[in-house]
Amino acid sequence: MENSFFEMALEASRDRRAEERFIKAMEPMVKKVASRFALRVKGASEFKDDMENAARLGIHNALMRFDFSYGGFDNYLEKAMEIEVRTFLNNNLRMIRIPKHMLEAMRKYRNGFNEEEFSSIKVRKIKDAMNVENCLSLDNAINEEDDGKTFASFVPSFSSPEVEYEKSEIESSLAEAVEALDFTEKYIIQSFFGISKEKKSLKAMASELGVSVMTVSGRRKRALDKLKVYLAQV
C-alpha cells in the first residue's frame, strides 16, 4: 500500500491530471487536517471550506517540492498541509500577525521542551508572544462578571468626513480595477470577497467553473496581482 501511495504521489508530481486524481484521493486526509484545526483554534470552524482548500494547496506544494529520491513523503505531505492551513488561519484570524518561527516556538513550548533548546531570553519572548496571542481578538470577554462585554464594546464607532471621503475614493478605485479584469477573474474576485455577489469558497467556484481548485487559486492570485498594479497607478 505504501509503495502504491508513493508511486501515485510520484506520478502526480510529474503530471497535472495525475495530480488532480491524487488530490481527490487525499480528500479524507484533507478533511482530517482541517477538522483538527477547527477543533483546536477558536473561530476556525467557520472557515471549514477555506481550510480544506488550504490543505489541498499544501498537497500541491508538497508534490512540487519533495525530493522523491528519498522516502517519507507521507509525513512531509501532512506537514505541508498543516503549514498551509496554519498560514491561512494566521492571515484571517489574527489582527496582529505573529511570525511563523515564533508560532513554531510557541507550539514546542506548549508541548514540552528541552530546557537547553531555548535560552531564558527566548522563553521570555515566547511568553510575551503567548500573552499577545491571548489578546488578539476584540471579541474576547473582558471578564466573566461584566455581562459578557467584550473589548469591542469599548471601541468608538465614529468616522470623520475626511475618512469617509477617502473610503469612498478607495471603493470607487477598487470597483474600477475589478471591472478591468477579464470575466473569469472578475467572477472569482467578486465571489471570493463577496463583492455584490454571494461569498463562495474556492471549491464551490471550481465546481461551477468546471476546473480544479488549484486553477481557481492561481487565477485568483493573478487577478489580485493585476488589482495591485492597477491601484498603484491610481
Side-chain angles (χ1 to χ4, degrees):
M1 179 65 181
E2 289 184 6
N3 287 339
S4 176
F5 168 79
F6 189 84
E7 289 168 3
M8 283 177 60
L10 179 58
E11 183 184 3
S13 70
R14 297 170 174 172
D15 180 78
R16 186 59 181 271
R17 290 185 180 276
E19 179 188 344
E20 291 182 1
R21 290 195 298 270
F22 182 80
I23 291 176
K24 190 170 292 186
M26 293 297 104
E27 198 63 17
M29 184 181 285
V30 166
K31 295 186 180 301
K32 173 186 170 184
V33 170
S35 297
R36 188 185 305 153
F37 280 90
L39 290 172
R40 293 179 181 177
V41 181
K42 181 181 178 182
S45 57
E46 64 181 279
F47 295 100
K48 180 175 176 293
D49 287 345
D50 290 310
M51 284 193 297
E52 290 180 359
N53 288 332
R56 295 184 188 98
L57 179 59
I59 297 175
H60 170 76
N61 291 340
L63 291 172
M64 296 301 104
R65 296 170 183 170
F66 187 73
D67 185 348
F68 282 90
S69 60
Y70 297 93
F73 178 70
D74 52 344
N75 292 330
Y76 183 89
L77 174 64
E78 189 163 358
K79 288 293 182 185
M81 296 167 70
E82 289 177 351
I83 287 171
E84 288 302 326
V85 175
R86 190 177 291 117
T87 299
F88 169 80
L89 292 176
N90 232 22
N91 292 338
N92 287 275
L93 289 184
R94 298 182 188 278
M95 293 165 59
I96 302 173
R97 296 183 184 177
I98 298 175
K100 286 184 180 180
H101 71 275
M102 184 56 72
L103 290 171
E104 182 63 18
M106 289 160 61
R107 183 188 66 78
K108 289 181 180 179
Y109 183 82
R110 289 191 179 104
N111 293 339
F113 66 101
N114 185 337
E115 291 186 6
E116 297 179 356
E117 185 174 357
F118 297 128
S119 67
S120 58
I121 296 176
K122 183 73 170 181
V123 170
R124 189 165 67 249
K125 287 182 178 180
I126 291 172
K127 288 182 177 179
D128 288 343
M130 291 169 68
N131 289 333
V132 170
E133 184 181 46
N134 291 333
C135 298
L136 290 180
S137 177
L138 291 177
D139 294 324
N140 286 345
I142 296 170
N143 57 55
E144 295 180 358
E145 293 79 26
D146 202 6
D147 300 325
K149 285 187 177 181
T150 65
F151 288 103
S153 306
F154 294 89
V155 177
S157 57
F158 62 85
S159 181
S160 67
E162 292 83 0
V163 170
E164 287 299 321
Y165 174 77
E166 183 178 2
K167 180 181 176 183
S168 174
E169 286 295 298
I170 292 173
E171 289 176 349
S172 176
S173 297
L174 180 59
E176 291 178 6
V178 170
E179 287 298 325
L181 299 173
D182 67 36
F183 177 81
T184 303
E185 291 170 342
K186 179 180 175 182
Y187 166 78
I188 290 173
I189 292 298
Q190 289 181 327
S191 298
F192 185 80
F193 292 104
I195 304 173
S196 70
K197 285 181 178 291
E198 177 188 354
K199 195 171 182 179
K200 298 177 181 178
S201 67
L202 297 180
K203 185 178 180 180
M205 287 186 279
S207 177
E208 290 183 5
L209 295 172
V211 297
S212 69
V213 172
M214 291 301 106
T215 298
V216 175
S217 179
R219 293 297 295 272
R220 181 189 64 168
K221 183 179 184 305
R222 284 195 293 275
L224 288 173
D225 289 341
K226 287 182 181 179
L227 291 178
K228 289 177 183 177
V229 172
Y230 184 96
L231 291 174
Q233 298 172 347
V234 174

